[in-house]
Amino acid sequence: YITLVCQITNWFTFFCGVRTYSNSMEMVLSVIALSLWVFNGDQVQGKQAVRQLIISVALAGLSCAIRPTAAIFWVIPFLFLIYNPPLISTRSSTWSNRLMTIS
């Protein structure tokens, strides 16, 4: 039991544990933000896709707030977003619209 008490009360365990959790949280937020990101050349359809991009940017910002070195990673996607904005269409893509454009 003495070993367990020494391990639990060790200051270095608390120092490393918090760092591990913050790194993991930053990675999870970055992965979720990348999965929602609208890449160059993608057609953004409707309000749902715009909300998806806003949520992605918010998660990327939160990731940078948790760990500022994440900004190094997010500089390139944000530059692409600024210089090559996605095409935003207000019409929703339905099967009838797709069939009309094919024929």
Side-chain angles (χ1 to χ4, degrees):
Y1 292 113
I2 294 173
T3 307
L4 180 61
V5 170
C6 288
Q7 178 66 30
I8 292 173
T9 59
N10 188 358
W11 68 269
F12 193 73
T13 303
F14 292 114
F15 174 74
C16 291
V18 172
R19 182 178 171 137
T20 302
Y21 291 138
S22 67
N23 289 348
S24 298
M25 187 62 156
E26 179 261 332
M27 182 205 54
V28 167
L29 289 172
S30 293
V31 167
I32 294 171
L34 276 177
S35 70
L36 296 173
W37 194 262
V38 177
F39 290 97
N40 188 18
D42 289 347
Q43 177 83 12
V44 178
Q45 296 285 336
K47 293 180 182 179
Q48 182 65 25
V50 174
R51 278 190 215 123
Q52 182 177 340
L53 185 60
I54 290 171
I55 291 170
S56 178
V57 169
L59 288 174
L62 185 60
S63 171
C64 293
I66 289 174
R67 189 167 176 225
T69 55
I72 296 169
F73 171 77
W74 283 106
V75 165
I76 294 173
F78 277 115
L79 288 177
F80 277 121
L81 182 66
I82 290 170
Y83 290 115
N84 298 319
L87 302 172
I88 298 175
S89 174
T90 56
R91 289 184 6 193
S92 63
S93 178
T94 61
W95 284 105
S96 61
N97 289 342
R98 290 180 186 170
L99 289 174
M100 292 169 104
T101 57
I102 292 174
S103 54

